[in-house]
């Protein structure tokens, strides 16, 4: 069969026409050109206007001041509070048998020396007893003298045979008995005099009178309690309450500054004793800080202490850089991508340069100094570097 004979001649003419073929391809070319133009326009828009958008967004990020704190040598200081007391309290009571108080010579706030009479007690009856014993001593001494004289005379007569050996023995025994009675009388007198001397209330040590609890006319006995309270040599102490970790960081002999409440005096003392036990309820112990006498120190009062406990290398930040919440203390640092990152820290002592950070920073981070309270983790910022804390 001849297929060519069946194709119309007009269709063969159309297929072979070059003009017609070009006309058929023109819509495809136009569509491709439009697509390429749109793609180039999209890429150009993103390149120019997208970068401009990023720059605009960056320009709208908050500007914050940052600083790399580095590390400084800081003297570790422990702040504590406590009660003032006498370092060595000496209660003074009745030593003898007591009686009616006739005079009181010192008052609270006075200084006394060892052996000084602080109060005297009526001793009129004791004086009469002492006088009677003195008379007994005199009688015993007279008896002894007489017995000795009789013995001396008898000794001279025994050689002539007028006195027997037995008489000499009897007179010797009489002399020895008289001597013994004299010694007994003398001992009784000395005892009475010692008792009378103990009727005076005397200072057992040199010190500062803290309390006076006796008045003239009062009858006192050994059960009357404390009549005077002394601070030996006037020395005081602060019984500072410290936590377990702070107690572990101090030692006997370290210097301490003490400020009594209500005064602006700063007194220097030393830790002289550290409590060997911890209160199981409060988890605290006592560091006893010795202090010399000062009129600002009143036992029973309150005082604060700054205890130096060595030095360490730590980062130091201004107070404005530190934030606090329920999780503890933290700062914001700015990373290489200029985003704020929360960093938990442990703060230590406060110094003239700022607050020391004992843990959480190595000193090389860019720490936000101000406006940290207005930032959120991951927020983009514009960091402005400040070389020194407190600078502009």
């Amino acid at each position: 069969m001849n297929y060519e004979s069946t194709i119309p001649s007009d269709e063969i003419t159309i297929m072979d026409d070059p003009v017609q073929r070009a006309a058929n391809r023109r819509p495809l070319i136009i569509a491709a050109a439009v697509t390429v133009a749109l793609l180039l326009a999209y890429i150009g828009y993103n390149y120019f206007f997208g970068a401009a958008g990023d720059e605009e967004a960056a320009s709208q990020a908050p500007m914050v001041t940052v600083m790399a704190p580095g590390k400084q040598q800081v003297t570790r200081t422990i702040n504590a509070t406590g009660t003032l007391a006498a370092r060595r309290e000496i209660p003074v009571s009745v030593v003898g048998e007591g009686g009616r108080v006739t005079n009181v010579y010192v008052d609270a706030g006075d200084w006394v020396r060892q052996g000084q009479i602080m109060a005297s007690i009526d001793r009129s009856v004791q004086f009469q007893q002492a006088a009677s014993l003195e008379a007994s001593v005199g009688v015993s001494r007279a008896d002894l003298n007489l017995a000795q004289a009789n013995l001396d005379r008898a000794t001279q007569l025994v050689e002539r045979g007028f006195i027997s050996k037995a008489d000499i023995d009897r007179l010797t025994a009489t002399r020895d008995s008289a001597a013994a009675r004299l010694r007994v009388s003398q001992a009784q007198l000395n005892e009475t005099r010692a008792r009378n001397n103990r009727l005076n209330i005397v200072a057992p040590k040199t010190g500062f009178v803290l309390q006076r609890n006796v008045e003239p006319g009062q009858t006192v006995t050994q059960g009357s309690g404390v009549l005077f309270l002394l601070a030996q040599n006037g020395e005081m102490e602060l019984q500072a309450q410290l936590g377990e970790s702070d107690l572990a960081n101090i030692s006997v002999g370290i210097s301490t500054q003490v400020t009594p409440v209500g005064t602006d005096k700063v007194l220097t003392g030393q830790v002289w004793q550290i409590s060997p036990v911890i209160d199981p309820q409060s988890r605290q112990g006592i560091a006893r800080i010795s202090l010399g006498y000062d009129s600002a120190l009143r036992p029973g009062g309150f005082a604060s202490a700054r205890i130096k406990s060595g030095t360490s290398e730590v980062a130091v930040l201004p107070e404005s850089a530190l934030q606090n919440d329920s999780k503890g203390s933290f700062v914001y640092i700015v990373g290489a991508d200029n985003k704020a990152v929360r960093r938990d820290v442990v703060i230590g002592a406060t110094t003239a340069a700022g607050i020391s950070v004992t843990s959480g920073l190595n000193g090389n981070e860019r720490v936000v100094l101000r406006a940290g309270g207005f930032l959120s983790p991951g927020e983009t910022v514009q960091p402005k570097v400040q070389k020194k804390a407190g600078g502009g």
Side-chain angles (χ1 to χ4, degrees), residues 210-226:
L210 300 176
Q211 295 180 14
R212 164 184 160 172
N213 302 314
V214 63
E215 297 297 335
Q218 180 180 343
T219 300
V220 295
T221 65
Q222 292 185 353
S224 298
V226 177

Side-chain angles (χ1 to χ4, degrees), residues 108-120:
D110 293 341
W111 284 89
V112 295
R113 64 183 183 277
Q114 185 174 357
Q116 178 180 338
I117 298 176
M118 304 174 71
S120 59

Side-chain angles (χ1 to χ4, degrees), residues 250-308:
I250 65 174
S251 59
V252 173
I254 62 176
S255 178
T256 304
Q257 293 181 330
V258 175
T259 304
V261 169
T263 72
D264 55 0
K265 286 188 174 181
V266 179
L267 307 176
T268 301
Q270 286 186 334
V271 176
W272 74 275
Q273 186 182 81
I274 299 174
S275 174
V277 297
I278 299 295
D279 188 315
Q281 302 299 324
S282 64
R283 311 308 304 172
Q284 290 185 324
I286 296 177
R288 302 177 69 177
I289 302 168
S290 64
L291 299 163
Y293 172 78
D294 191 281
S295 58
L297 300 175
R298 295 180 174 85
F302 204 64
S304 60
R306 292 172 59 85
I307 306 173
K308 298 179 180 178

